[in-house]
Amino acid sequence: MTAWESGFQPDLTSSAHELARYDENVPSASMEPTPRILLVEDDERLAKLVQTFLQSQGFQVRWVGDGQEAMKAIRSEPPDCVILDILLPGVDGIEVCRQVRPTYHGWILMLTAQDEDINEVVALDTGADDYLTKPVRPHVLLSRLRALLRRASRGIPKVSEPASLDEGKVITAQELRIDGDRRTVSRAGEPIVLTDAEFDLLWLLASRAPAILTRDDILSELRGIEHDGLDRSIDMRISKLRRKLGDDQPPHQLIKTVRGRGYLFARS
């Protein structure tokens, strides 16, 4: 039995006290109406354990075992949140996310394999709102799920939604032009194609300049969670964004690294 599975035993005896203490300190997501969760996991044994656990915490959980069924379920009966494994038979989780994101307005929590950092970046760039790396403890899954639902109740936008922009506002820096209204970017007149997630990251840095943004600032703004000191996805996304902006060779001219503090967008 894997560590991932062991945390989800049906009787939850090993984690019951931990969950009880955790629940005392974390506000519950509203249970009216009962949040509807779609669990997409091809391991039936694991899926049943997770389903039983989440149902014990007040969620309505539907389980499907492959990507094709997931897309059908999301489109026919959109859930409040999708827990989506990347490694699925047939259509993988990344492609499921890419296919449904344009029309699905709920939350997507992606599950990635251990140490596969590139999957985390790709997941966010294709429209996932958050991700967890396997193996994950039950209380961690519960915490992230509740955090997403609280963001919904507070009106915090999803990663896939446009960032809050001042209509018509344009930010320029050296040869770079960022149009907040049209969500377009160009350098020296040449268009630069960015994903929604990349644009949101660039706009966040540029609109806050000359402030230095920590990793925690960026994660909190874009994903509504705190940096745990181990999450490398922001560094990887900054690196990818720099390459697209033609600013990947140090010393960086647009997105500067402030050692020990975070990132700074240089307008001049």
Side-chain angles (χ1 to χ4, degrees):
M1 181 180 297
T2 66
W4 168 239
E5 291 177 327
S6 65
F8 285 102
Q9 290 307 295
D11 59 6
L12 296 176
T13 53
S14 63
S15 58
H17 295 299
E18 179 184 9
L19 284 168
R21 290 196 302 271
Y22 185 78
D23 287 343
E24 289 175 359
N25 299 314
V26 179
S28 297
S30 173
M31 293 295 108
E32 295 292 342
T34 303
R36 295 169 296 112
I37 309 300
L38 177 66
L39 173 62
V40 188
E41 168 62 60
D42 64 322
D43 185 327
E44 182 174 359
R45 172 184 166 78
L46 175 57
K48 293 298 185 184
L49 292 173
V50 176
Q51 184 179 39
T52 299
F53 168 69
L54 291 178
Q55 287 173 338
S56 76
Q57 298 299 310
F59 296 95
Q60 179 182 332
V61 184
R62 177 183 177 184
W63 166 61
V64 297
D66 63 68
Q68 288 288 359
E69 287 299 313
M71 291 189 289
K72 291 179 183 177
I74 292 169
R75 289 164 176 159
S76 62
E77 296 181 53
D80 297 306
C81 183
V82 179
I83 300 175
L84 179 62
D85 191 15
I86 282 185
L87 298 178
L88 296 170
V91 182
D92 65 25
I94 295 293
E95 186 59 26
V96 170
C97 189
R98 183 179 290 114
Q99 290 287 333
V100 304
R101 187 76 279 182
T103 57
Y104 173 60
H105 304 298
W107 304 89
I108 297 178
L109 173 59
M110 194 81 82
L111 302 180
T112 71
Q114 192 170 14
D115 295 329
E116 294 183 2
D117 292 334
I118 189 63
N119 278 344
E120 299 166 2
V121 176
V122 172
L124 295 173
D125 283 347
T126 53
D129 298 291
D130 199 0
Y131 69 86
L132 282 173
T133 302
K134 292 181 177 180
V136 61
R137 299 295 297 174
H139 75 275
V140 176
L141 176 62
L142 182 63
S143 172
R144 292 293 183 87
L145 197 52
R146 286 178 171 173
L148 288 175
L149 294 171
R150 283 197 300 272
R151 287 169 64 189
S153 66
R154 294 172 185 171
I156 300 174
K158 297 184 286 296
V159 168
S160 58
E161 292 178 341
S164 178
L165 307 175
D166 293 331
E167 185 175 355
K169 185 169 183 179
V170 173
I171 295 176
T172 58
Q174 302 167 53
E175 296 182 322
L176 193 70
R177 185 179 190 276
I178 311 168
D179 189 321
D181 185 25
R182 295 180 175 82
R183 292 178 65 83
T184 58
V185 179
S186 61
R187 187 168 190 179
E190 293 296 321
I192 299 173
V193 179
L194 301 180
T195 66
D196 283 342
E198 289 168 346
F199 184 89
D200 288 346
L201 175 57
L202 177 60
W203 182 266
L204 177 63
L205 291 166
S207 63
R208 297 291 180 84
I212 299 171
L213 298 185
T214 66
R215 292 171 180 82
D216 189 67
D217 292 332
I218 295 170
L219 281 171
S220 179
E221 287 285 344
L222 297 182
R223 292 167 54 199
I225 63 174
E226 295 181 358
H227 183 246
D228 61 8
L230 301 174
D231 192 329
R232 295 180 53 217
S233 65
I234 293 300
D235 298 329
M236 295 179 69
R237 291 173 69 185
I238 289 287
S239 178
K240 185 177 178 182
L241 182 57
R242 280 171 170 161
R243 286 197 300 272
K244 287 195 173 184
L245 298 178
D247 188 38
D248 53 329
Q249 297 299 318
H252 305 294
Q253 301 301 311
L254 293 168
I255 303 176
K256 297 180 179 291
T257 301
V258 182
R259 187 175 298 277
R261 298 184 63 186
Y263 294 102
L264 165 70
F265 185 85
R267 292 199 181 189
S268 60

